[in-house]
Amino acid sequence: MAGNYYKVACTDCENEQIIFGKASSVVNCAVCGTTLATPTGGNAEFHGEVVETVERRDSTELEA
């Protein structure tokens, strides 16, 4: 599965949450319920501040 994960900060409560960049459903903040991302048919539209891109793990790291 190709895609990146992003750490997004909620604009209301500043909670940071990791979200898949191609989210296929609405993603709400786990703390206050504010919408953090909405699907667009491709890359999700983020409604919070993108703090960082989270590196994906290689399959070789999982074979330990």
Side-chain angles (χ1 to χ4, degrees), residues 9-33:
C10 178
T11 55
D12 289 346
C13 69
E14 299 179 8
N15 175 51
E16 293 182 351
Q17 205 164 307
I18 297 175
I19 301 173
F20 185 55
K22 296 183 179 186
S24 60
S25 61
V26 175
V27 179
N28 294 322
C29 177
V31 175
C32 69

Side-chain angles (χ1 to χ4, degrees), residues 5 7 9 11 16-18 25 27-29 35 38 40-41 43 45-47 49 52 55 57-59 61 63:
Y5 289 87
K7 185 181 285 189
T11 55
E16 293 182 351
Q17 205 164 307
I18 297 175
S25 61
V27 179
N28 294 322
C29 177
T35 301
T38 53
T40 62
N43 290 331
E45 179 180 341
F46 297 117
H47 301 284
E49 177 187 350
E52 69 177 300
E55 295 290 327
R57 290 194 278 180
D58 291 329
S59 61
E61 291 178 16
E63 296 175 357

